[in-house]
Amino acid sequence: MPHSRLSQPSAFAEMTAFAPGSTRPARMPPVGRRTAGLSLLSLALAAARPAMAQPVQQSTVLVPGPEEGSSSAWTTRAVAALARGHYRPVALQLSHLGGPDGVTAANRFATLEPGDGDRFLTLPGMACQAWLTGATRARFEPRAWLPLLVSWNSAVLAGRGRLPSPGAAPLRVAIPSPDAPEAAALALLDLLGVPAQAVTGPAEAAFRAGEADALIIAGPAPIDRAKVLGATPWYQLSPTQDDATDLPPLPVRSPAARGALAAVAALQLRAALVMPYLTPADTVATWRRAALRWQEEERTQPGEGRPMVGAQAAAAFALLAPPPDAVLSYRSWLERRLGWRAG
């Protein structure tokens, strides 16, 4: 029954109706107080029944800690938008676990059994980097998850002046550690045939200090950032359909290139909200419709990454978990070139 306001008669009023062909109300037989009360109660219950049939849907989101961290802030904003975009009342409960790299939360999410309500995980790029390099503490498989929301940044390979020719002096590439995603800059230069050598240190700080010659810049506007650093962008990395630049894409297509670009993608991923791959299709479709509200609202948030949903989110997320031959190629390169092996 529609949710119209019921005008309740007083105890001494008589119900009236308009007689056919008359503009005056015809007097109806009086209704007893008990009968009128039951009728009104039945109408009130019927009006309330649709609301009573819509219980709040409870869902859990595993979030990398700490509670005041950046992942928590991103997730809080995301679940609020999803709740506004959902067709029924929903409550997404945040459960913080582990540190900011997200490995502990991802490990826990991988152990949850299906069929226990809708569940989500906030996944930062560094968790995927730990998985890519074969870190023994990363006991999860990103390919087992469906991305619902993805905040994504662009990335470029840049350096001082023009890209040197293969016979030039080796470029210096600052790498915080062999398993850091910044090591992908050295891997990409190797694939391009440009001589390069690793130096220890944070990439941007070393470049500003004149201790490094090449680096990967990832962010909302990496070309503008390159200008601030005094670097020249050479190649667009992991381009998406929204990357409107004049930079060429990386001219290398191989498992080794896909492995290196997976490390770049770890820098590009601000955060993703993922679901188990075996989530029922109708449930996924419902949440994807709600995700459109998040995408619309997130576009107003500066510096948080490009909001992606649907097929675009799936394409970006796939870069983080390339085929096994690409993963093996990158791990072999780490051992051969930098002497690093997981565990």
Side-chain angles (χ1 to χ4, degrees):
M1 177 175 178
H3 296 268
S4 59
R5 180 174 296 175
L6 298 175
S7 58
Q8 299 188 16
S10 68
F12 302 99
E14 293 181 345
M15 297 182 66
T16 59
F18 285 90
S22 172
T23 59
R24 297 183 63 187
R27 191 173 299 276
M28 301 294 290
V31 180
R33 294 182 184 179
R34 179 177 178 82
T35 305
L38 290 174
S39 298
L40 291 173
L41 177 61
S42 299
L43 291 173
L45 289 175
R49 193 171 292 124
M52 293 169 60
Q54 291 283 327
V56 176
Q57 177 180 337
Q58 300 287 339
S59 303
T60 301
V61 186
L62 288 185
V63 186
E67 292 188 17
E68 66 276 10
S70 60
S71 289
S72 182
W74 182 89
T75 308
T76 299
R77 193 169 61 249
V79 299
L82 285 174
R84 287 189 287 269
H86 208 281
Y87 78 96
R88 62 178 295 182
V90 294
L92 293 99
Q93 180 71 34
L94 273 59
S95 177
H96 297 85
L97 188 65
D101 66 2
V103 173
T104 301
N107 287 339
R108 180 72 180 95
F109 190 71
T111 66
L112 298 180
E113 295 293 333
D116 189 23
D118 297 347
R119 294 188 303 273
F120 304 89
L121 166 70
T122 295
L123 186 70
M126 289 307 298
C128 294
Q129 176 67 13
W131 168 85
L132 175 68
T133 59
T136 54
R137 64 192 185 94
R139 300 182 300 275
F140 58 88
E141 173 54 71
R143 300 187 193 94
W145 299 331
L146 290 172
L148 179 65
L149 316 176
V150 169
S151 287
W152 192 256
N153 287 314
S154 299
V156 298
L157 178 64
R160 300 188 189 280
R162 299 179 60 181
L163 182 68
S165 60
L171 296 176
R172 297 166 297 170
V173 179
I175 299 174
S177 64
D179 58 333
E182 289 84 354
L186 182 62
L188 294 174
L189 290 171
D190 285 353
L191 292 170
L192 292 170
V194 176
Q197 61 186 21
V199 295
T200 303
E204 285 198 6
F207 190 88
R208 285 195 300 265
E211 299 169 355
D213 307 306
L215 75 167
I216 292 170
I217 303 173
I223 294 180
D224 293 341
R225 181 61 182 166
K227 293 178 181 178
V228 172
L229 293 173
T232 301
W234 293 332
Y235 289 107
Q236 178 76 48
L237 303 177
S238 305
T240 68
Q241 62 186 30
D242 293 331
D243 287 320
T245 71
D246 295 329
L247 290 179
L250 193 74
V252 181
R253 301 284 189 273
S254 65
R258 296 187 69 175
L261 290 176
V264 177
L267 291 172
Q268 294 179 267
L269 180 65
R270 165 70 178 79
L273 192 70
V274 302
M275 306 176 69
Y277 189 80
L278 296 179
T279 302
D282 57 341
T283 301
V284 174
T286 297
W287 283 110
R288 281 179 172 170
R289 285 192 294 270
L292 296 174
R293 178 66 177 266
W294 169 82
Q295 186 181 44
E296 178 183 350
E297 295 183 7
E298 195 70 3
R299 286 182 175 133
T300 66
Q301 298 290 331
E304 289 293 336
R306 184 181 307 131
M308 295 179 174
V309 298
Q312 193 178 32
F317 192 76
L319 296 171
L320 292 152
D325 59 344
V327 175
L328 179 60
S329 178
Y330 190 70
R331 292 175 183 177
S332 299
W333 175 85
L334 285 175
E335 182 178 2
R336 181 179 66 256
R337 188 71 156 86
L338 300 177
W340 189 88
R341 176 184 291 184

